[in-house]
């Protein structure tokens, strides 16, 4: 319908009718918007499509390499760990090569290196590494020297950088998954939240909320449901959950605004904690409806809240390992117009 006729028609509807119709129309629009999001996800998500493009495969290569880096950095190294990740990584690498994608891409080379690191960490014991070594032979690639695998860090260096320029803080922040026995004082957390609350948000609506979980039983049950911290969390005794409250957003076109504002806040909070010498690891809070409801019930979230992310925190151990988590170069991310 042309805009003008729509406006005329609208002016003929009495006010009380408009107020009744408005929420119905808004709900209809919401369903329509969500449908298009579903279609987009269906089209692009690597798990929903048989044929993966190079970006789908980059995602899979990094996803499975990262699982192996975590195992290589784990203080409780378990021989033969990560069988599922190994299999999935090899599948992704094979698909990548069969599709004739460039073998000099860093994400692909990183996958090769992480498999080499896996063999090295297992001292080339045939029962753990012969399959991998045979697999690697098929590629005949000698990768360049990239920082991939488990990297050792010194607490002193991290603390020095935390107090220096922002670029030092940002470029030296890492996800730390196991902590020293010293408990993090609540005041450091409160001060970090204060700093993070200076984050920008849409029309300064500040929809964010932070849940501080200290109760041992609640913390353990939450982590079990979260499911992404298995094998880590030594001396973890405080966990944060950042949420946003949907009541602060107006319309169907703001359906994702909470995730944007919440994400900005979450990152500010991680930087603020890093500045306050607290070690952190963001933990995923995107779940299916059933798991989402279980966590909501457990923590007692408002129905209007949506979860943005957990932050596991503690103090840095004196010396520890963490995944290198190599980043792409700027030209992979930047498009100049
Ligand atoms: C939204 C989000 C969810 C994450 N979830 C988990 C998780 O469930 N378990 C985990 O060990 N790390 C998790 N991480 C940490 C990432 O693995 C880590 O940030 C990434 O590999 C980059 O490494 P870095 O933080 O050390 O630079 C998550 C990070 C983000 C941003």
């Amino acid at each position: 319908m042309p805009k003008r006729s729509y406006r005329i028609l609208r002016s003929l509807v009495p006010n009380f009718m408009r107020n009744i119709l408005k929420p119905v129309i808004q709900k209809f629009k919401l369903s329509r918007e969500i449908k298009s999001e579903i279609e987009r996800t269906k089209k692009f998500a690597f798990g929903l499509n048989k044929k993966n493009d190079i970006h789908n495969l980059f995602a899979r290569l990094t996803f499975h390499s990262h699982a192996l880096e975590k195992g290589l950095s784990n203080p409780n190294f378990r021989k033969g760990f990560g069988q599922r990740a190994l299999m999935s990584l090899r599948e992704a690498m094979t698909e990548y090569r069969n599709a004739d994608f460039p073998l000099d891409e860093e994400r692909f080379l990183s996958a090769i290196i992480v498999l080499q690191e896996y063999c090295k960490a297992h001292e080339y014991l045939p029962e753990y590494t012969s399959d991998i070594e045979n697999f690697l032979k098929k590629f005949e690639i000698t990768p360049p020297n990239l920082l991939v695998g488990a990297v050792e860090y010194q607490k002193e260096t991290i603390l020095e950088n935390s107090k220096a320029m922002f670029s030092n803080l940002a470029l030296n922040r890492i996800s730390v998954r196991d902590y020293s026995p010293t408990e993090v004082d609540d005041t450091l957390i409160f001060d970090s939240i204060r700093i993070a609350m200076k984050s920008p948000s849409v029309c300064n609506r500040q929809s964010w909320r932070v849940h501080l979980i200290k109760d041992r039983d609640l913390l353990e049950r939450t982590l079990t449901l979260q499911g992404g911290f298995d094998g880590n969390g030594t001396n973890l005794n405080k966990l944060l959950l950042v949420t946003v409250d949907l009541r602060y957003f107006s319309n169907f076109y703001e359906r994702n605004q909470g995730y944007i504002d919440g994400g900005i806040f979450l990152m500010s909070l991680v930087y603020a904690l890093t500045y306050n010498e607290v070690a952190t690891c963001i933990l995923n809070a995107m779940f299916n409806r059933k798991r989402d409801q279980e966590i909501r019930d457990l923590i007692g979230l408002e129905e209007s809240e949506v979860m943005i992310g957990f932050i596991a925190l503690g103090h840095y151990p004196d010396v520890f390992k963490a995944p290198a988590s190599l980043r792409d170069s700027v030209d992979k991310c930047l498009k100049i117009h």
Side-chain angles (χ1 to χ4, degrees):
M1 187 187 309
K3 252 191 180 158
R4 198 155 164 269
S5 350
Y6 177 72
R7 245 185 266 136
I8 295 169
L9 191 71
R10 225 174 63 151
S11 67
L12 295 175
V13 180
N15 243 347
F16 84 94
M17 267 301 274
R18 219 184 292 167
N19 286 343
I20 295 173
L21 282 177
K22 208 173 158 188
V24 178
I25 292 169
Q26 289 293 323
K27 279 179 193 158
F28 167 75
K29 284 182 172 173
L30 175 68
S31 315
R32 208 178 49 183
E33 293 297 318
I34 288 176
K35 196 164 169 251
S36 83
E37 279 176 24
I38 293 172
E39 290 309 315
R40 197 196 301 263
T41 307
K42 272 192 196 164
K43 192 168 170 193
F44 294 111
F46 62 79
L48 301 181
N49 289 288
K50 250 185 120 166
K51 184 148 177 49
N52 280 188
D53 73 4
I54 192 166
H55 293 284
N56 293 141
L57 283 163
F58 280 160
R60 285 168 58 194
L61 291 170
T62 305
F63 178 57
H64 302 304
S65 298
H66 178 65
L68 296 176
E69 280 193 330
K70 281 209 290 189
L72 291 168
S73 321
N74 197 304
N76 308 310
F77 181 80
R78 189 170 51 83
K79 278 196 178 137
F81 74 88
Q83 288 307 312
R84 200 152 11 127
L86 283 171
M87 193 183 72
S88 306
L89 182 59
R90 280 185 278 177
E91 272 170 18
M93 289 170 76
T94 307
E95 255 178 80
Y96 186 96
R97 191 199 41 192
N98 290 347
D100 276 334
F101 291 136
L103 299 182
D104 60 352
E105 281 287 348
E106 284 199 351
R107 288 199 186 223
F108 181 75
L109 295 169
S110 298
I112 292 198
I113 300 172
V114 89
L115 290 178
Q116 291 173 338
E117 290 294 312
Y118 188 97
C119 295
K120 226 185 274 173
H122 285 83
E123 292 161 346
Y124 300 94
L125 286 170
E127 56 190 302
Y128 299 114
T129 64
S130 61
D131 280 359
I132 303 173
E133 286 184 273
N134 288 336
F135 176 77
L136 284 174
K137 272 185 205 140
K138 290 189 216 159
F139 291 92
E140 289 174 347
I141 290 176
T142 312
N145 198 9
L146 299 174
L147 189 62
V148 172
V151 183
E152 193 164 277
Y153 292 93
Q154 308 288 329
K155 176 181 170 178
E156 273 315 305
T157 321
I158 291 184
L159 295 188
E160 237 173 72
N161 285 316
S162 297
K163 287 288 176 229
M165 284 164 55
F166 177 72
S167 60
N168 287 14
L169 182 131
L171 291 172
N172 288 285
R173 182 212 55 80
I174 43 168
S175 291
V176 180
R177 297 175 174 84
D178 297 282
Y179 312 100
S180 83
T182 320
E183 194 169 322
V184 172
D185 203 294
D186 277 354
T187 54
L188 290 176
I189 298 174
F190 300 161
D191 185 61
S192 305
I193 294 173
R194 182 184 64 81
I195 297 170
M197 288 182 75
K198 187 69 179 71
S199 298
S201 61
V202 63
C203 312
N204 201 26
R205 275 183 254 175
Q206 305 174 59
S207 59
W208 43 64
R209 303 279 173 270
V210 183
H211 298 260
L212 166 56
I213 302 169
K214 300 199 272 187
D215 178 86
R216 186 88 244 139
D217 180 53
L218 181 60
L219 193 150
E220 272 168 19
R221 285 164 57 191
T222 305
L223 279 184
T224 305
L225 288 175
Q226 190 273 338
F229 217 38
D230 259 357
N232 289 112
T234 313
N235 296 318
L236 173 69
N237 43 40
K238 287 180 186 173
L239 180 70
L240 300 177
L241 170 62
V242 171
T243 67
V244 292
D245 190 328
L246 292 182
R247 287 176 296 188
Y248 286 75
F249 302 109
S250 66
N251 222 317
F252 61 86
Y253 53 80
E254 281 193 350
R255 67 200 168 279
N256 292 323
Q257 190 65 52
Y259 293 105
I260 296 167
D261 289 7
I264 290 171
F265 178 83
L266 180 78
M267 193 64 234
S268 297
L269 184 50
V270 166
Y271 279 142
L273 288 160
T274 308
Y275 172 78
N276 276 324
E277 305 188 349
V278 177
T280 62
C281 181
I282 298 177
L283 300 179
N284 181 40
M286 287 269 153
F287 307 108
N288 63 29
R289 267 188 310 162
K290 182 170 171 284
R291 183 55 54 93
D292 186 270
Q293 194 56 51
E294 285 168 339
I295 297 182
R296 284 173 173 281
D297 293 345
L298 182 64
I299 302 175
L301 300 185
E302 297 273 346
E303 214 187 321
S304 55
E305 279 178 285
V306 292
M307 288 183 260
I308 301 299
F310 291 92
I311 305 174
L313 54 88
H315 280 298
Y316 298 99
D318 285 337
V319 180
F320 62 97
K321 285 185 177 169
S325 295
L326 181 74
R327 297 305 201 271
D328 289 333
S329 55
V330 172
D331 60 344
K332 284 279 187 313
C333 137
L334 174 68
K335 186 169 177 184
I336 298 174
H337 299 268

